[in-house]
Amino acid sequence: DETVPALNVVCVEVRGEGPYASLAAGLPDEAYEHDGQLTKRDLRASALAHLMPRPGELLWDVGAGAGSIAIEWSRAHPRCRAIAVERDPDRAERIAANAARLGVPGLTVVQGTAQQALAGLPRPDAVFVGGGADAPVLDACWAALRPGGRLVAHAVTLETEAVLVTRCRDWGGTLTRIALEHVERLGGYHGWKPARAVVQWSATKPAAP
């Protein structure tokens, strides 16, 4: 019998169940449709720990692949925003589908090469660059990054690793080499199968004086 004011606010908290309900970084790899271009679970969790999602901030996920970094950044808080940049049109479509299925349909997907796509985007608070980073892309991302922003880049080749070493020397940050092994069947037994090692560079852009 209570009278409800004409102006009122209703807050709804959505609760889910199952393996994808957690908002912690590092969803199972099976959560994503992909063609092999996916930042795997353990590397993804490490990258997001260094990117440090904060409410209201914007992430660029450059060379997004399946979009896993941008998607999990967006899932961290309702006000986290992300732009996934992907050259391949099929992958760009897949990113949008993954985002919708995993609860962040507002994720922006930009299809095009990094050099073309980055120029007109709003300045980011954080940037992730996948395993194919090169010097021009890193330079463009660092220039656009807001003061105090975080940049994380992965390298799987010696050529890209050399670029990250140089940028770490010039701009600071930390270099970490991550080597993972997973148990697989080996005939009637089990053994450790190593994955390709990844070099991770993480840096914070100095705040404006």
Side-chain angles (χ1 to χ4, degrees):
D1 295 331
E2 295 180 4
T3 301
V4 179
L7 177 61
N8 60 83
V9 177
V10 178
C11 298
V12 179
E13 180 181 1
V14 180
R15 298 182 180 181
E17 297 180 356
Y20 307 155
S22 172
L23 300 181
L27 288 176
D29 293 341
E30 299 77 39
Y32 297 94
E33 295 291 335
H34 63 91
D35 60 359
Q37 294 297 313
L38 172 71
T39 302
K40 299 299 192 297
R41 184 179 196 173
D42 298 292
L43 291 168
R44 191 185 328 129
S46 177
L48 284 158
H50 287 274
L51 289 167
M52 296 183 289
R54 299 169 184 170
E57 291 192 335
L58 172 67
L59 168 80
W60 286 359
D61 184 357
V62 182
S68 61
I69 296 290
I71 288 169
E72 294 193 27
W73 167 282
S74 300
R75 284 167 55 95
H77 190 275
R79 291 177 54 222
C80 284
R81 299 166 295 129
I83 299 173
V85 178
E86 174 53 51
R87 176 178 57 187
D88 184 272
D90 292 333
R91 290 176 186 161
E93 275 189 35
R94 200 175 290 120
I95 292 168
N98 282 332
R101 190 175 64 257
L102 292 170
V104 286
L107 173 68
T108 300
V109 182
V110 177
Q111 193 263 310
T113 65
Q115 294 285 24
Q116 295 171 337
L118 299 183
L121 299 182
R123 293 187 72 184
D125 303 285
V127 177
F128 176 75
V129 185
D134 59 24
V137 169
L138 286 174
D139 292 347
C141 291
W142 187 259
L145 189 63
R146 293 183 182 276
R150 290 82 62 202
L151 187 149
V152 174
H154 286 176
V156 294
T157 67
L158 289 175
E159 290 78 9
T160 305
E161 181 179 335
V163 174
L164 298 192
V165 170
T166 300
R167 292 300 176 271
C168 184
R169 181 193 63 203
D170 295 341
W171 300 333
T174 60
L175 285 168
T176 306
R177 193 165 187 258
I178 303 172
L180 298 170
E181 298 184 12
H182 297 280
V183 171
E184 293 190 1
R185 288 194 65 85
L186 188 63
Y189 300 91
H190 293 81
W192 292 100
K193 181 177 180 181
R196 190 182 299 275
V198 173
V199 172
Q200 182 183 84
W201 173 48
S202 173
T204 300
K205 191 171 183 178

